[in-house]
Amino acid sequence: MLIPTRPMSRRRLLRSAGGAALALPFLEAMGPSLGSRVLGNDHAADSERTPKRFVAICASLGFHGDHLFPESTGRDYAITPYLEKVQRHRDDFSLFSGLSHPEQNGNNGHASELTWLTAARRPGLAGFRNTISLDQLIAQEIGLKTRFPFLALTTGGQSLSWTSSGVEIPAQHSPAKLFTAMFVDGKPHEVEADLDRLRRGRSVLDTVGSRAQSLKRELGIRDQQKLEEYLHSIRDLESRLQQSEGWVRRPKPVVDEEPVSDINDKALAIERQKLMYRIIALALQTDSTRTVTFQLAGLNSVPQIPGVQSDWHGLSHHGKDPEKIAELKRIEAAEWGAFGEFLDQLKSIEENNQSLLDHTAVMFGSNLGNASAHDWRNLPILLAGGGYRHGEYVAHDAANNTPLCNLYVDLARRMGLEIDAFGSSTATGIKGLESTT
């Protein structure tokens, strides 16, 4: 098929009768003239009594490796200061070193946070475009089974979740708002208002979808393929909106918890983490969602932790100064303590003769292997629960980092996705990870 010689305007929109509009994706027909060149061709009825869950938690300022990684590998490793905080769960987690994503060398090492769950290359550099994050890939497969297809959360930083178009999904930082959304039923007029908004959204998508189909006659094969991907995303959104209508009318789960209040003092960084962990555990326990990302934001100020007098970000760039490292240790040990309490919660919740932790794969780590040097190699990665055989420290080759995405493929397959590759993966699993089923 021939591409039109007159470029299509990039400002062209698909409009509904009510005036609402969706922007088209970039198509080759919008580019310079190519002349005549030819281009190539009911929730309660859910049969899953013990659904699988996935939680990814990223500490954006990293962890000091000397206080985390043991000197010896295997099951008999000597405990380290940070692992001491989770030692009671030693048989419920595996620790990995030597994992990374390739080509994360942007202008600023912190940019690797953008790609922790995507593995897109060269973050932060000109022309960078992100790709879909692991949680969103999973949510596309199983998200319609729960009231919330996913939860993207943070203590005050940016999101870990990215769409298939490489667009950041805003993260919720308010535990109070999250609690209300999950467990507080709206008044009748609020429910009707929500339904009305959903119906209007479906009406817009119905109209622009039909008009996009008619547009295909004007496009070349490659543009038709791009537009078909775009229409697929519209159809997916329509399905989500239709599912949402059912959830709006359905009563929310009843929990034996009072509504929470946000902790607005950012200096209480660990307390803020603990509060969000509580809400995550409730979300998983009530099957309100099965996919969660949680970004642990650092501070450019002093956290309220005994013995800490310097700003957190500055301490992460310690330059091997023993006094700075000692202060940093107090902060990071407190983070590990909060994470240990989260594992306590999941372990204490029984679900069909097992714990909720047994059914939830929890990945805890960072996008930085050495925050002081902005080094994105040799990432600290702990995987807890999820029905895996745990109890080991597994050191991969730190000089030739094993793709972290090899682990991601295994995690995605565990959640029911039929994939053999993701991001920079070279295998469908990694050494030291074995399922018990």
Side-chain angles (χ1 to χ4, degrees):
M1 184 172 181
L2 300 183
I3 291 294
T5 57
R6 182 178 180 180
M8 183 184 295
S9 169
R10 291 187 64 179
R11 299 179 64 183
R12 183 167 176 176
L13 303 174
L14 295 175
R15 293 188 177 275
S16 71
L22 292 177
L24 286 168
F26 182 83
L27 305 172
E28 289 180 347
M30 297 174 180
S33 172
L34 298 178
S36 299
R37 185 163 64 87
V38 178
L39 299 181
N41 302 335
D42 167 1
H43 185 58
D46 190 341
S47 61
E48 296 180 349
R49 296 185 61 231
T50 53
K52 294 180 173 65
R53 288 91 162 186
F54 171 65
V55 179
I57 306 163
C58 180
S60 61
L61 289 182
F63 301 114
H64 187 56
D66 290 349
H67 294 147
L68 172 60
F69 295 123
E71 293 184 359
S72 60
T73 59
R75 301 188 67 86
D76 298 325
Y77 63 84
I79 208 71
T80 60
Y82 294 167
L83 293 182
E84 183 179 5
K85 301 297 183 179
V86 293
Q87 184 175 9
R88 57 195 178 277
H89 298 293
R90 181 168 178 149
D91 292 334
D92 292 314
F93 69 79
S94 301
L95 179 68
F96 299 93
S97 62
L99 306 178
S100 71
H101 299 313
E103 294 184 50
Q104 298 297 296
N105 50 327
N107 294 327
N108 184 328
H110 290 295
S112 61
E113 184 181 348
L114 305 176
T115 59
W116 192 61
L117 288 179
T118 73
R121 298 171 191 253
R122 300 167 64 81
L125 296 181
F128 169 74
R129 182 179 179 181
N130 217 340
T131 52
I132 190 170
S133 54
L134 177 63
D135 64 297
Q136 292 304 297
L137 191 71
I138 294 171
Q140 287 180 356
E141 181 72 20
I142 68 168
L144 294 182
K145 297 179 180 181
T146 54
R147 185 181 294 271
F148 297 90
F150 62 90
L151 294 178
L153 310 174
T154 180
T155 54
Q158 63 185 92
S159 176
L160 300 174
S161 301
W162 297 78
T163 71
S164 57
S165 301
V167 177
E168 181 181 356
I169 296 173
Q172 175 61 264
H173 67 271
S174 168
K177 291 181 180 178
L178 183 59
F179 185 95
T180 297
M182 290 194 297
F183 306 122
V184 179
D185 283 312
K187 297 177 181 178
H189 73 275
E190 293 173 331
V191 171
E192 288 304 318
D194 287 341
L195 285 169
D196 187 53
R197 282 192 293 270
L198 289 169
R199 289 166 185 148
R200 287 202 305 270
R202 287 185 62 197
S203 175
V204 170
L205 291 175
D206 288 342
T207 302
V208 298
S210 62
R211 295 190 178 187
Q213 288 287 0
S214 65
L215 176 65
K216 289 178 69 174
R217 293 192 296 269
E218 305 177 35
L219 302 175
I221 293 176
R222 291 185 184 177
D223 281 347
Q224 287 184 29
Q225 292 172 343
K226 290 182 183 179
L227 189 58
E228 185 57 39
E229 292 175 359
Y230 180 69
L231 293 174
H232 177 78
S233 67
I234 290 179
R235 286 191 291 270
D236 180 65
L237 183 54
E238 286 176 334
S239 297
R240 293 181 185 276
L241 289 174
Q242 185 174 10
Q243 182 78 356
S244 295
E245 288 186 28
W247 285 113
V248 168
R249 290 196 182 279
R250 218 171 285 179
K252 295 178 180 179
V254 176
V255 293
D256 188 20
E257 294 271 351
E258 293 296 323
V260 301
S261 298
D262 290 335
I263 300 172
N264 294 317
D265 186 354
K266 291 185 177 181
L268 296 173
I270 304 305
E271 288 76 4
R272 287 159 65 96
Q273 291 182 18
K274 290 181 179 181
L275 181 56
M276 192 67 88
Y277 279 137
R278 273 182 54 203
I279 308 304
I280 294 173
L282 285 173
L284 298 174
Q285 181 181 10
T286 57
D287 202 25
S288 295
T289 192
R290 299 176 187 174
T291 307
V292 182
T293 61
F294 184 25
Q295 188 251 21
L296 307 180
L299 298 175
N300 286 309
S301 56
V302 183
Q304 193 169 315
I305 297 172
V308 178
Q309 300 177 340
S310 306
D311 82 270
W312 187 351
H313 185 240
L315 290 173
S316 73
H317 295 290
H318 50 74
K320 298 184 179 180
D321 183 321
E323 293 185 1
K324 290 184 177 180
I325 291 176
E327 276 194 81
L328 181 65
K329 179 182 177 182
R330 295 186 177 96
I331 300 173
E332 294 179 353
E335 284 193 288
W336 279 86
F339 175 65
E341 292 180 15
F342 176 56
L343 295 184
D344 290 343
Q345 294 174 68
L346 300 186
K347 188 75 173 179
S348 69
I349 299 169
E350 184 177 335
E351 186 179 58
N352 291 331
N353 299 318
Q354 288 185 301
S355 73
L356 183 56
L357 181 60
D358 292 322
H359 304 141
T360 307
V362 182
M363 185 173 68
F364 182 70
S366 178
N367 57 291
L368 291 173
N370 181 345
S372 185
H374 279 164
D375 193 348
W376 43 267
R377 302 170 183 84
N378 193 29
L379 301 182
I381 300 293
L382 180 148
L383 183 69
Y388 291 103
R389 197 179 308 280
H390 289 302
E392 290 191 64
Y393 165 46
V394 184
H396 289 260
D397 185 355
N400 301 291
N401 275 229
T402 299
L404 177 55
C405 282
N406 290 354
L407 170 61
Y408 289 2
V409 174
D410 192 287
L411 292 170
R413 288 161 69 98
R414 173 190 169 274
M415 294 297 291
L417 278 67
E418 297 180 359
I419 64 170
D420 294 317
F422 177 80
S424 57
S425 67
T426 58
T428 58
I430 61 171
K431 180 183 71 174
L433 187 66
E434 180 184 351
S435 174
T436 60
T437 58

